[in-house]
Amino acid sequence: MKHFIRYILFFGVLNSAFSQTDSITVLEEVLVIPTKLKEFSTGQTLTSLQDSLLLQNKPSLISALNFNTPIYFKENGLGMVASPSFRGTNASQTAVLWNGININSRFNGQTDFNTINTGSYDAINIRGGGGSVIYGTGAIGGTVHLSNNIEFEKQFKNRIYLSYGSFNTYDARYQLTAAEKNWSTKISFSRNQSDNDFEYIDTDRKNLNGDFYNNSLNAVFGYQFHKNNTLKFYSEVFESERHFSLIRPSENRTKYEDVSLKNLLEWEVSGEKITSIARVAYLKEEYKYFPNIETESFTFGEANTVIGKYDFSYQFSKKIKLNAILSHEYTDGEGSSIPQNERNISSGALLLKHLVNEKWAYEIAARKELTNDYESPLLFSFGTGYSFTDFYKLKLNVSKNFRIPTYNDLYWATGGNPDLAAEEAMQYELGNEIQFSNFRMTLTGYYNDIQQMINWIPGSSGYWTSRNIDEVATYGAEFLLNYKKQFGRHLLSVNGTYAYTVSENKITKKQLIYVPYQKATGSIYYAFQDLFIETQALYNGEVFTRSDNNPRYNLDAYWLWNAGLGYHISKSFTLGGKVRNLLNSDYQNVEDRRMPGTNYTIYLTLNF
């Protein structure tokens, strides 16, 4: 909480300074896709979840992605640790980028998607497939991009979102946006908490020790010296406490506290042909785990990371662009089971984009890292797209990607292995895109060959130890559909996804655990004047929980269905309600971690 006191005092002063304006301008929502992501995704598929859609879901990132993308999530109970499986890969093989900075944990290489609050961002973009050349470690299955937008246009807006739901659950979000022609600021605060004591379906038991809360404070500041010279500052602090749900009432009650700080300073200077972007970022992560909340004993971890990046691009012509990226990362980390260690990583990347003509474009890129901690391969990617007609496009992408060993992999006191090499993955994907004015459909097939995969196995000393031993092949297909139509006073939006995924250990020929063969989602949004209704559906196929694929321990497939109704009482006042798990499905996506049945939420949105 001490971090929040400092930030609130600081941002409160800035709010007072920046809010001295007597003019209010309401802007329409714009599509927010980072420039680098948009320019260098040739041959790959992008999915964008904008601000208005994020409000329709629970505040945690897992809710927004689970119902709108092909990514499968395993969640250790509602609000507990949540990790993704993107195209059959594991949690540490999906990279999460915050305004272009990789924020996966330096300890375990993962991002807990229940510690990302969507109320802090203007858009979330998802790109399937490899991205290590640009985004570094972990970008094997895909990348998730958390983006804040800065607009230099006169405006002053406030938005408040309040909701209350089952299990005594509160969600509060506030956002201030103020700007003039040469400066802009956006400050947002989110609070989410719940007793999380839902009853298990068809039993007399309930979820014990599952209460949680989290706070998120996010600020973005921008100043334009002139239109080609801009300074931006992004800052975020996240704080949470979770009491981990019990499997059996006799277990010790545990809790987990974590704090993360992110700061990024960005200076962009652009000309007719040259663009120069210098970035300096500071990331801090720390946690405490209490194995028994009745005592003060805990284990801990803390890591501080400083990243410097320089991005230089040169536009040779309207059709050819060359981009060079240099970066250096320094991390200092330690924990209860990890001795203090420092790590330095330097890298260089070169990217070329060529628009051959109106129908054909391609890109080539390469990257190399230098460090003493592990062996790093030469990475490369090639992507191309060709438009055969006005509505049909064929896309191809080939890339070599990697994941570096984490602090836990290298330095864990009773099993870390300092001789580990980076995981390597060769990926091939072929995509088909059909697009009319209101309709877009993509069908993508892919194959991913992962070598030197790090796994923890029992060692001769009796402790588990990390080794480069696994070889995994993941392959399958993804189908995405979007339709949006405005006719008179009616608006209809339809979205759907389907994924068929094989993720196989090449030695045992067994499907990896917690990777369903099938996942599908669908949503419909319909509005007539000020009234709107929405519905979401999700299907998760059966999953294995044992490496030998013993069907006795499989988790059953399940359907989830959500529905909502809302009314715009005025331009600034919206009232609505939602029903989640309308079918009252009894389901788990992690063994022995039961999820809630039918539950309800009412909400209020104010814009002024």
Side-chain angles (χ1 to χ4, degrees), residues 428-479:
Y428 313 85
E429 66 175 276
L430 185 67
N432 302 269
E433 181 179 305
I434 298 174
Q435 185 166 358
F436 300 97
S437 58
N438 302 307
F439 175 85
R440 182 171 182 257
M441 181 181 73
T442 62
L443 176 62
T444 304
Y446 63 88
Y447 180 87
N448 206 348
D449 184 9
I450 305 173
Q451 303 287 330
Q452 300 182 156
M453 194 165 171
I454 298 171
N455 199 355
W456 285 72
I457 60 174
S460 57
S461 60
Y463 297 109
W464 290 70
T465 185
S466 54
R467 293 286 186 270
N468 291 104
I469 60 170
D470 280 353
E471 297 181 9
V472 173
T474 71
Y475 55 92
E478 292 176 347
F479 173 80

Side-chain angles (χ1 to χ4, degrees), residues 1 3 34 44 114 153 157 167 169 173 181-182 276 285 288 310 317 344 384 404 416 425 428 442 491 556 560 565 593:
M1 187 61 70
H3 300 282
Q44 295 176 277
N114 265 325
E153 186 170 343
K157 300 187 296 184
F167 328 127
T169 301
R173 314 179 204 177
K181 290 186 178 180
N182 65 335
S276 170
E285 58 176 307
K288 294 180 181 178
Y310 182 65
S317 67
N344 286 279
T384 185
I404 68 175
Y428 313 85
T442 62
L491 173 65
D556 294 333
L560 296 179
L565 176 69
R593 298 294 182 180

